[in-house]
Amino acid sequence: QLYDELDEGWAVYRVNIYKNKFEKEFPNTYDVNRWFSDGQGNVMFGIGYEDDRSTLWYRPNSDAKWDKLYEFEYFVDERFLPILVEGDKAIVLSDHELGRLAIWRYDIAKGEDDELIFA
């Protein structure tokens, strides 16, 4: 990701390191500050930070539209940070139920924590 003056935000670029060419993947229309990809380089998550809130955007593949997956207010709601995606599940850091960060399996379709993996 690089800051793009046209988007006035962080944009995702595919880079050809042999030719030093940068190609923007898509415009940042969601005020995302940080992007996450899967193991194949497909950008699947974006997190926007604004004042005292974070919003997590998600898309299941590079052809899908972005949907709001999760939103939380700092020091009020449970924290939520994706680590990786396994099909329709995500591995996330969350303080769900425990009050401290732990690793959870998150069911994307249901929109809820599925299983505690490690605490």
Side-chain angles (χ1 to χ4, degrees), residues 1-5 7 9-13 15 22 24 28 35:
Q1 74 181 28
L2 295 170
Y3 190 81
D4 184 356
E5 296 290 335
D7 287 352
W10 295 96
V12 175
Y13 290 86
V15 180
F22 291 71
K24 189 191 304 188
N28 182 353
W35 297 100

Side-chain angles (χ1 to χ4, degrees), residues 18-95:
Y18 302 106
K19 296 181 179 180
N20 196 28
K21 297 219 180 221
F22 291 71
E23 181 181 335
K24 189 191 304 188
E25 289 288 302
F26 49 84
N28 182 353
T29 58
Y30 301 97
D31 293 325
V32 168
N33 304 91
R34 195 166 166 201
W35 297 100
F36 298 87
S37 65
D38 64 11
Q40 287 74 45
N42 301 308
V43 179
M44 302 182 75
F45 290 104
I47 296 180
Y49 308 102
E50 186 177 335
D51 299 325
D52 59 348
R53 302 194 67 75
S54 277
T55 304
L56 180 69
W57 297 92
Y58 169 77
R59 66 180 182 175
N61 60 60
S62 58
D63 296 325
K65 71 177 189 79
W66 291 98
D67 289 316
K68 189 183 293 187
L69 179 66
Y70 197 88
E71 188 172 33
F72 66 93
E73 184 176 346
Y74 301 125
F75 308 109
V76 175
D77 301 319
E78 295 174 351
R79 291 177 286 174
F80 185 94
L81 182 66
I83 299 172
L84 63 93
V85 178
E86 296 177 330
D88 62 346
K89 309 275 186 188
I91 306 300
V92 301
L93 282 174
S94 176
D95 55 2

